[in-house]
Amino acid sequence: MKISDTGDRLNSEIHLRSWRPSAPLRPFIDHFAIRTASLGSDQKYHPLPARNDCFLEFYLQDRFRVINVASGAIHQAPRVVLVGPHASRREDIIHTGTLKVFHIGFTPTGFYSLFHVPARSIANSAQTAEIVVGSSIIELEERLALSPIHNWQS
C-alpha cells in the first residue's frame, strides 16, 4: 500500500472551489465547497485535527477511507456524512481514486437552526447524515451526483 504525506503535493492535486451562499442562507450556512481530484491508485493520508465547525459532506464518486486513530480500524466513509465539532483528533482519512466531494459548512448555530439537533448530540462524531437529518438527504445526494460540476456556482 502506497500512502504519502499530505504536504504541498496533496494540495496541488486536489482542486477546491468554495463560495458563499445567497443572502437568505447566510444565517445558517457559512460556505459551500467542492473538492475534486483524480488520484488513481495513489493514496493520500490526511490527519484530521480537533475542530469546532459542523458540516455535511456528500461523496459523489469514490469515498474516503476513515481510520480510527485509537484502534487503527478502517472503514469507508458513508455516502453523506455529518461531522460535528471535535474536541480532539479521533479519525484520519485516506484519499484515493476519483474524488468529487460537495461540502456544506454551517455557521455556529446554523445546523441547529435548520434541523433542531442539539450540538451535544453531534459533538465528537462523524456519522451517516441520514440518521440525523432523515432519508431525504439520500435523494439530495443522488441529485447532486447527477449534476455536472460546471453548472455549480464558482
Side-chain angles (χ1 to χ4, degrees):
M1 174 165 42
K2 184 169 68 171
I3 299 177
S4 69
D5 188 6
T6 58
D8 292 334
R9 190 167 164 235
L10 175 64
N11 293 331
S12 66
E13 293 175 359
I14 295 180
H15 303 279
L16 173 69
R17 284 193 303 172
S18 63
W19 61 95
R20 300 266 303 148
S22 61
L25 292 176
R26 288 187 185 149
F28 314 106
I29 297 173
D30 179 65
H31 65 278
F32 297 105
I34 187 158
R35 292 189 310 277
T36 58
S38 294
L39 302 173
S41 61
D42 285 351
Q43 299 184 43
K44 310 295 181 198
Y45 190 89
H46 185 75
L48 299 176
R51 59 195 170 275
N52 62 3
D53 57 341
C54 173
F55 57 88
L56 280 169
E57 285 199 331
F58 298 80
Y59 301 107
L60 305 173
Q61 285 188 306
D62 294 333
R63 293 183 256 165
F64 300 142
R65 286 185 295 156
V66 180
I67 303 168
N68 181 294
V69 175
S71 69
I74 299 175
H75 69 276
Q76 189 174 40
R79 290 169 52 187
V80 184
V81 65
L82 170 64
V83 178
H86 279 64
S88 63
R89 179 177 164 215
R90 301 170 58 105
E91 296 176 321
D92 293 340
I93 56 177
I94 296 175
H95 306 275
T96 190
T98 302
L99 302 178
K100 181 178 166 186
V101 181
F102 181 63
H103 172 100
I104 303 173
F106 294 95
T107 63
T109 59
F111 187 80
Y112 176 79
S113 297
L114 288 173
F115 298 103
H116 303 289
V117 174
R120 70 181 171 277
S121 67
I122 60 172
N124 296 310
S125 72
Q127 55 191 302
T128 302
E130 183 178 10
I131 294 170
V132 180
V133 299
S135 60
S136 61
I137 200 78
I138 298 303
E139 180 182 345
L140 177 57
E141 182 270 338
E142 291 168 351
R143 288 179 182 219
L144 287 169
L146 295 173
S147 176
I149 292 175
H150 65 271
N151 288 342
W152 298 19
Q153 182 174 345
S154 57

